[in-house]
C-alpha cells in the first residue's frame, strides 16, 4: 500500500494540513489537500494545496511568490491530519499581508487582530 | 453578534481545532469542536472537543487525567480554523501514550513512527 493510501481522506477526498514554520514553530495556516496535491508536495518539496473555494490545485505562492519550502511531512495517529514543516519565503503566509493567518485572539469575548500587516496585499498580489 | 457566531462552522456545525503546547510550541492534536464545545472551552479554560466517532462532547482527559489547560484561543483570517494554546497535563496528548499525535514522519516514501511511547495506554486508560 502506498503511503498516500494510508491517509484517511474524508468524504470529499481531502485531509486538513497544518503548516508550521520550522524556525519559529509558529502555525502559519490550516489548509486542505487532496491526494494529488499531497503527492505533488512530497515530490517537489513546495507546498501545494487544494483550494476548496476555487476547486483547483493551489501552489502556495504562485501569485505572491510566498512559497513554502517543505522540510518534513508528518501524520497523526488517526491518519486524518497532516503537518508540513516549512520555510516561509518572504515571511508572509497570510493573504492579508500578515506573517501567519491566526492573528485573531479571543480577548474578553471578542476576536481582536493582534498581529501587524507586514505588507499591503495590493503590493503582494499585483 | 457573538464571537461564537463569527466562526464559520462547516456543514456539520464543526470547526477544526489545532492544539499547540505553549511551552514547546509542538502541535499536539488536531480535533474538532461544535459551538457548545468551544463555548465550554472558553468558559472553563479546559479543552472540550466534539468527538466525531462517538458523536458527543469530549472533555480531553476525562478518563486519562491528561487535561489541556487553555492559555489562549486564536482564529484564522477565514474564521474556519482555531488554535488552542495549552499546558498539557501529564505531558501526554496522544491515546497511544506519546507526547503528541503527529509521531509519523514521511521518510523515503514510508510513514515511520519516530516518537517514543511514554506510558503504556493500558496504564493510562484503566
Amino acid at each position: 500500500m502506498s503511503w498516500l493510501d494510508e491517509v484517511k481522506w474524508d468524504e470529499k477526498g481531502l485531509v486538513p494540513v497544518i503548516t508550521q514554520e520550522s524556525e519559529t514553530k509558529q502555525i502559519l495556516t490550516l489548509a486542505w489537500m487532496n491526494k494529488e496535491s499531497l503527492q505533488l508536495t512530497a515530490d517537489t518539496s513546495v507546498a501545494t494545496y487544494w483550494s476548496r473555494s476555487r476547486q483547483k490545485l493551489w501552489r502556495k505562492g504562485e501569485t505572491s511568490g510566498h512559497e513554502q519550502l517543505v522540510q518534513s511531512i508528518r501524520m497523526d495517529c488517526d491518519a486524518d491530519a497532516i503537518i508540513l514543516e516549512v520555510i516561509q519565503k518572504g515571511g508572509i503566509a497570510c493573504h492579508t499581508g500578515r506573517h501567519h493567518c491566526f492573528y485573531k485572539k479571543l480577548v474578553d469575548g471578542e476576536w481582536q487582530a493582534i498581529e501587524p500587516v507586514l505588507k499591503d496585499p495590493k503590493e503582494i498580489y499585483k
Side-chain angles (χ1 to χ4, degrees), chain A residues 45-65:
Chain A
S45 294
V46 178
T48 298
Y49 303 99
W50 176 256
S51 169
R52 296 182 302 169
S53 56
R54 290 178 286 155
Q55 289 284 305
K56 59 181 271 198
L57 288 173
W58 160 43
R59 186 167 60 77
K60 176 86 179 165
E62 59 195 4
T63 311
S64 63

Side-chain angles (χ1 to χ4, degrees), chain A residues 18-109:
Chain A
I18 305 161
T19 301
Q20 184 175 32
E21 192 169 46
S22 53
E23 193 183 343
T24 63
K25 305 294 180 206
Q26 273 200 312
I27 298 168
L28 301 174
T29 54
L30 180 78
W32 294 78
M33 288 190 182
N34 64 2
K35 195 182 275 192
E36 186 183 2
S37 59
L38 183 52
Q39 175 84 68
L40 271 169
T41 299
D43 287 350
T44 64
S45 294
V46 178
T48 298
Y49 303 99
W50 176 256
S51 169
R52 296 182 302 169
S53 56
R54 290 178 286 155
Q55 289 284 305
K56 59 181 271 198
L57 288 173
W58 160 43
R59 186 167 60 77
K60 176 86 179 165
E62 59 195 4
T63 311
S64 63
H66 297 155
E67 292 181 325
Q68 295 174 332
L69 310 180
V70 177
Q71 309 299 295
S72 74
I73 302 177
R74 285 182 174 239
M75 185 168 70
D76 74 345
C77 51
D78 296 331
D80 60 4
I82 300 279
I83 295 177
L84 300 184
E85 193 185 20
V86 305
I87 295 168
Q88 176 63 59
K89 283 179 76 174
I92 294 176
C94 185
H95 75 288
T96 64
R98 293 178 173 89
H99 177 52
H100 64 105
C101 292
F102 291 89
Y103 61 82
K104 297 176 197 165
K105 187 175 178 178
L106 186 62
V107 182
D108 298 332

Side-chain angles (χ1 to χ4, degrees), chain A residues 105-122:
Chain A
K105 187 175 178 178
L106 186 62
V107 182
D108 298 332
E110 284 184 8
W111 297 110
Q112 294 187 4
I114 59 163
E115 309 265 350
V117 173
L118 302 176
K119 193 170 178 181
D120 187 334
K122 286 192 205 105

